[in-house]
Amino acid sequence: MMAEIQLIEIKEEILSDNKKEAENLRKLLKDRKTFLLNLMSSPGAGKTTLILKTIERLKDRLRIGVLEADIDSVVDAEKVAKVGIPAVQIRTGGFCHLDASMVMRGLDAFDLSSLDLVIIENVGNLVCPAEFDTGAIRNAMILSVPEGDDKPLKYPLMFSVCDVLLVNKVDYLDMSDFDMQALYARVRTLNPKISIIETSSKTGQGIDAWSEWLEREVKAFFA
Amino acid sequence: MMAEIQLIEIKEEILSDNKKEAENLRKLLKDRKTFLLNLMSSPGAGKTTLILKTIERLKDRLRIGVLEADIDSVVDAEKVAKVGIPAVQIRTGGFCHLDASMVMRGLDAFDLSSLDLVIIENVGNLVCPAEFDTGAIRNAMILSVPEGDDKPLKYPLMFSVCDVLLVNKVDYLDMSDFDMQALYARVRTLNPKISIIETSSKTGQGIDAWSEWLEREVKAFFA
């Protein structure tokens, strides 16, 4: 059942026109009929667990691969491979983000024609990943309740570039002074069109809504 | 009671030998008898709240200033100024870390001869700040329980460069599968000399131990 993990080590940054690389990558994805989702968050907001829950929901309807990015470990890719999903691990060797050329190298390690959906788990960081177009079709972010409702004030670009925000670990709401209404207002001021879904991988809340959102986007891309 | 907030906007990175700048800054601090602490963590791990608790404990024994770094907000500096502590806000304008020259500019805005201790609240990020020597005398980091015990595997440099680790939000331990013993083992493998203190700003656990650690370091620096 354990799928193969391929490991890619980034040794140096290829200086290039990232915007152009990203556009080229989107053309390739359109061509191959593979949807690419870029998932971003702080360290520990729950990206890997959410990806595993998403795989549970969608694996019978979509052929999924996961592109894991980490400074220096393969633990997330191992978790994904364990459930039988092809995983590519990019070890960024200190780089704090993925750019389109790194993603292209990662995708080259998959057989794209056999995949409907590739999910990128970006480096855990609310700053740098927001600045680099990865070539993804949609950008998603997770903000977890323990991080606090003030994060849109402090990391506005991340909230601005995303199509969907998952407010995760809502099972922590009772223990915290997190103001959900204030969060929504702050996020919508930066990004009026963003979808917001409240989730908990622990209780399962919102996982269906999120999976439906993602499947809808994939189907719309294929149409 | 509200202290003045000074705002510094970083428009461009001054390319320089950061290591040398940092050494120069440490000489200046020795000269002025001001201890500089660099506090790092993920977004939302509890840096600002911990700084406020530290100020409560130490403000009658040490003259404290706070250097706040944020991509784009002054909310943290406002909280510090409200308790009567001089605050300088560096708006990094997208930069994901502070380097020694940015810190030098920030310290220039204080009257250093009137301060025993300046605490830097670095940009919320476990990646980039670890790579840049700020010129601080000691480096501290916060890892909060909701982030998970696997973070040393994924962000090893941060755990390696710090003198002390605060494992914060331990009041969340009951709700989580965080393995404290595994965390200690992972951290000590990377950094055998690091001090580890378990804290909760909510219950007050460990705040005395942390404040004592810091005061001891300041006194040793003055000796």
Side-chain angles (χ1 to χ4, degrees), chain A residues 27 44 48 53 67 88 90 96 131 210:
Chain A
K27 269 180 215 145
T48 312
K53 296 281 173 190
L67 186 57
V88 172
I90 299 186
C96 48
E131 293 167 24
W210 152 247

Side-chain angles (χ1 to χ4, degrees), chain A residues 42-44 70-73 76 94 96 124-125 127-128 131 146-147 151 153-156 169 171-172 175 202, chain B residues 42-44 70-73 76 94 96 124-125 127-128 131 146-147 151 153-156 169 171-172 175-176 202:
Chain A
S42 292
D70 250 315
I71 307 287
D72 184 29
S73 92
D76 292 341
C96 48
N125 184 337
V127 188
C128 320
E131 293 167 24
E147 294 172 69
K151 293 301 160 287
L153 303 173
K154 304 176 81 174
Y155 306 94
K169 304 194 189 180
D171 48 296
Y172 283 102
M175 296 193 58
K202 195 180 277 176
Chain B
S42 292
D70 251 314
I71 306 285
D72 183 31
S73 91
D76 292 341
C96 48
N125 184 337
V127 188
C128 321
E131 294 167 23
E147 293 171 70
K151 293 300 159 291
L153 303 174
K154 305 176 80 173
Y155 306 94
K169 304 194 190 179
D171 47 295
Y172 283 103
M175 298 193 57
S176 103
K202 195 182 274 177

